[in-house]
Amino acid sequence: MGDQQAKASRVFGLSKSRITAFEQCPKKLWLSVHRRELAEVQAQSELRFAAGHEVGAIACELAPGGVMIEAQPDLKAALKQTSELLAAGHRAPIYEATFAHDGVLIQADVLEPVGDSGWRMAEVKSSTAVKDYHRGDLATQIWVLENSGIELEAAVIRHIDTSFILSVPGDYRGLLKDAALLEEVRSTAAGRHEVAENARATLAGPEPIQEMGAHCLKPFSCEFQAYCGKDMPAPPEWPVDILPRASRSLVEEMARKGISDLRDVPLDALKKGQHRVVHQATVSGLPYHDHVGVMRETKDWAFPRHYLDFETIALPVPAWVGAKPYQQVPFQFSCHTELADGTIAHRSFLSADGSDPRRACAEALIECVGEEGAIIAYNASFERSCVRGLADALPEMSRELTAIAERFVDLLPVARAHYYHRDQRGSWSIKRVLPTIAPDLDYSDLEVGDGAAAQLAWLEAASPKCETERRAQIAASLEAYCERDTWAMVVLLRRMISPSEQLGEQF
């Protein structure tokens, strides 16, 4: 009782991010304040944070002559510094201008003078368009600023312009563009007092009871999902919605009939052949394996066969001339080359020092795959687009690279058409297929285990602050991960071609 009374008597401070969390889910806000240790680290969140930090820094550079409000030693000092600047008649940009109203503290990314006394407030985002939750963020800022005596002439979401191409190193004029939303979100801003009151009441009370649902993923994947899901009734072992691209009408129809487990769905209710395959494999426990079909579709894949996989970085702020925001730039590839006699050789490329990797990558690729043989990828459209991007960036190598792009064949549709194990749970991603067909291969022993982790690793290695020894460690981890991806393709194709006795009976 004592803890609860103390909590009820405490006035909880709020921020823009806490209000955003509250609007996504009251329980998320409560947990983020009272049980932060329950949060799970998410690589995508780290990537989003890194992107936001970089774009924010560029936004300040593009509004020169301003003053940065320092958050040290604390935000009270930031409030004081902002207040003193404005009181002294400051009429130049202010970065991270700090204000508080009704217990809500905000920091405006960029506050720019307009005319004699007005201001434009820019909320900087690393996205390429305005999103719904951005309007809520902006409304909170407007509410606090105007109630702090700031005369707002404009309030904008300043976001990435995808048409930007870096033409001069370090010149980011044109990278960002404004979406003016002051009038559009005024009505939302007017209701911010009530939202803040409700958020404070939530924080002062017990942990909210909140069912899980779509809000757990939008606008952000919530870091407390594992905790919230621990006491939920166990879902069906094989829910109907694991059917790939299952229509909502099908799932709802089954729910109306009281059917939540795929194994209970009548086979004649499934019209798609793929759905029938998934259903039968799930019911029987036996994998669907048409090795003859695999052989037929791959028999013309010429040797030497080059199993190729790229790792890329998509920087919101392009670092290299000719690059666009969020353009996928390959910094690494792995290639296992298989000769007709079954001999395998491995070659790779990695650039992890932050320099432009495109020319060195293209040169290594041309040397690696030569002019003969099929180039095998899993979801080949991605690898093909990477090669075409290199061709666009390096016109003097365009002929060789374009020829390489035309040699790709795709292992994914072959797997999708001719192999399914129920443990894939409706997915043909290579990390779902591989354990069912080659359980001796997985990614659990690797420091870098997926694409998001690879991007984070590259960002760390490419930083000028990264020490040589640490960069070498990261490089080794990246090499091991990318090599595992291409070796997985070699094993996957070999085992899919093998007769079904090695994998289980075909139904």
Side-chain angles (χ1 to χ4, degrees):
M1 263 315 267
D3 288 346
Q4 189 59 47
Q5 289 174 346
K7 192 182 294 181
S9 64
R10 178 181 170 191
V11 177
F12 289 92
L14 295 174
S15 63
K16 179 193 67 180
S17 60
R18 284 186 174 183
I19 287 178
T20 299
F22 173 73
E23 292 194 305
Q24 179 173 354
C25 173
K27 188 173 182 178
K28 177 180 180 179
L29 170 65
W30 194 96
L31 291 170
S32 69
V33 172
H34 299 301
R35 298 296 307 277
R36 187 65 201 170
E37 74 280 3
L38 298 174
E40 291 188 319
V41 176
Q42 297 177 323
Q44 289 295 342
S45 296
E46 293 186 56
L47 285 170
R48 188 172 62 248
F49 177 81
H53 180 77
E54 186 176 15
V55 174
I58 294 296
C60 293
E61 292 178 12
L62 294 175
V67 174
M68 174 64 73
I69 302 299
E70 301 295 341
Q72 300 298 329
D74 55 42
L75 289 172
K76 288 183 179 179
L79 283 166
K80 183 173 183 290
Q81 185 185 0
T82 303
S83 177
E84 289 175 347
L85 271 177
L86 293 172
H90 179 83
R91 297 298 293 166
I94 305 174
Y95 319 126
E96 302 296 335
T98 307
F99 299 88
H101 170 69
D102 195 18
V104 179
L105 184 144
I106 65 99
Q107 291 183 286
D109 292 330
V110 181
L111 195 62
E112 302 166 313
V114 177
D116 294 333
S117 58
W119 295 89
R120 177 191 299 109
M121 188 272 290
E123 172 76 357
V124 180
K125 300 295 185 182
S126 59
S127 62
T128 58
V130 176
K131 300 182 179 180
D132 287 343
Y133 81 91
H134 293 167
R135 293 176 169 84
D137 283 352
L138 200 64
T140 302
Q141 307 273 56
I142 291 168
W143 174 64
V144 172
L145 285 166
E146 292 194 327
N147 280 283
S148 298
I150 298 300
E151 182 183 332
L152 279 180
E153 297 291 338
V156 306
I157 296 296
R158 189 161 289 171
H159 63 88
I160 297 284
D161 184 346
T162 55
S163 67
F164 176 82
I165 300 174
L166 184 64
S167 57
V168 177
D171 184 354
Y172 293 107
R173 288 173 295 178
L175 173 67
L176 302 175
K177 66 179 180 180
D178 290 349
L181 298 172
L182 178 59
E183 297 308 320
E184 180 180 332
V185 303
R186 276 203 183 279
S187 60
T188 304
R192 262 0 200 188
H193 170 75
E194 183 178 356
V195 173
E197 284 291 296
N198 292 337
R200 274 191 290 269
T202 293
L203 288 172
E207 179 179 329
I209 297 172
Q210 180 75 49
E211 294 292 329
M212 296 185 72
H215 62 275
C216 298
L217 301 173
K218 189 176 180 180
F220 306 112
S221 178
C222 179
E223 62 270 36
F224 297 104
Q225 289 180 73
Y227 168 75
C228 292
K230 65 180 175 58
D231 295 325
M232 291 183 65
E237 185 178 4
W238 307 101
V240 176
D241 60 9
I242 67 171
L243 289 171
R245 294 178 293 281
S247 67
R248 178 176 294 182
S249 61
L250 173 63
V251 176
E252 290 177 349
E253 179 188 355
M254 292 301 110
R256 285 194 298 270
K257 294 179 178 180
I259 297 174
S260 59
D261 192 307
L262 178 59
R263 295 171 297 183
D264 297 328
V265 174
L267 185 60
D268 60 9
L270 303 176
K271 308 306 179 186
K272 296 181 180 179
Q274 188 181 65
H275 286 179
R276 296 171 73 89
V277 166
V278 171
H279 177 274
Q280 290 181 269
T282 303
V283 170
S284 69
L286 299 175
Y288 170 70
H289 179 213
D290 175 16
H291 78 281
V292 174
V294 177
M295 292 177 67
R296 181 177 63 251
E297 288 205 42
T298 62
K299 63 182 176 62
D300 294 329
W301 291 4
F303 289 95
R305 292 175 171 177
H306 308 281
Y307 298 80
L308 182 68
D309 179 72
F310 286 111
E311 294 302 325
T312 63
I313 190 69
L315 298 171
V317 178
W320 309 296
V321 170
K324 299 179 180 179
Y326 290 111
Q327 180 179 344
Q328 297 283 357
V329 176
F331 62 83
Q332 177 182 19
F333 70 74
S334 169
C335 182
H336 278 88
T337 297
E338 179 183 23
L339 303 182
D341 63 4
T343 303
I344 296 280
H346 178 255
R347 299 179 73 173
S348 64
F349 165 82
L350 173 63
S351 172
D353 61 3
S355 62
D356 188 344
R358 290 173 293 178
R359 179 173 297 278
C361 180
E363 291 173 346
L365 179 65
I366 291 169
E367 182 180 356
C368 179
V369 302
E371 298 180 354
E372 296 181 348
I375 302 175
I376 302 171
Y378 206 81
N379 191 20
S381 61
F382 178 76
E383 267 67 29
R384 189 181 293 114
S385 70
C386 288
V387 176
R388 287 175 175 163
L390 291 174
D392 290 341
L394 303 162
E396 69 278 17
M397 303 167 73
S398 177
R399 183 186 62 80
E400 297 96 323
L401 291 168
T402 300
I404 288 172
E406 292 173 353
R407 288 162 54 195
F408 276 99
V409 294
D410 200 340
L411 188 55
L412 172 57
V414 175
R416 189 178 282 135
H418 301 292
Y419 180 79
Y420 182 77
H421 189 290
R422 69 178 185 178
D423 288 347
Q424 294 171 220
R425 304 186 70 80
S427 168
W428 277 267
S429 76
I430 197 165
K431 291 178 178 63
R432 282 289 184 89
V433 177
L434 192 62
T436 73
I437 204 168
D440 49 314
L441 280 179
D442 64 26
Y443 292 74
S444 62
D445 61 324
L446 301 178
E447 181 180 352
V448 173
D450 58 44
Q455 291 180 63
L456 282 173
W458 185 90
L459 288 171
E460 181 185 352
S463 169
K465 298 178 181 179
C466 187
E467 296 182 357
T468 302
E469 183 177 349
R470 175 57 182 157
R471 183 174 289 120
Q473 293 173 344
I474 294 171
S477 298
L478 286 168
E479 291 272 19
Y481 167 65
C482 201
E483 182 177 357
R484 185 70 52 88
D485 270 348
T486 52
W487 180 242
M489 285 191 282
V490 175
V491 173
L492 187 60
L493 180 53
R494 285 181 171 183
R495 297 193 183 181
M496 285 200 301
I497 287 174
S498 300
S500 58
E501 298 84 57
Q502 298 184 27
L503 295 172
E505 293 296 324
Q506 177 184 336
F507 52 76

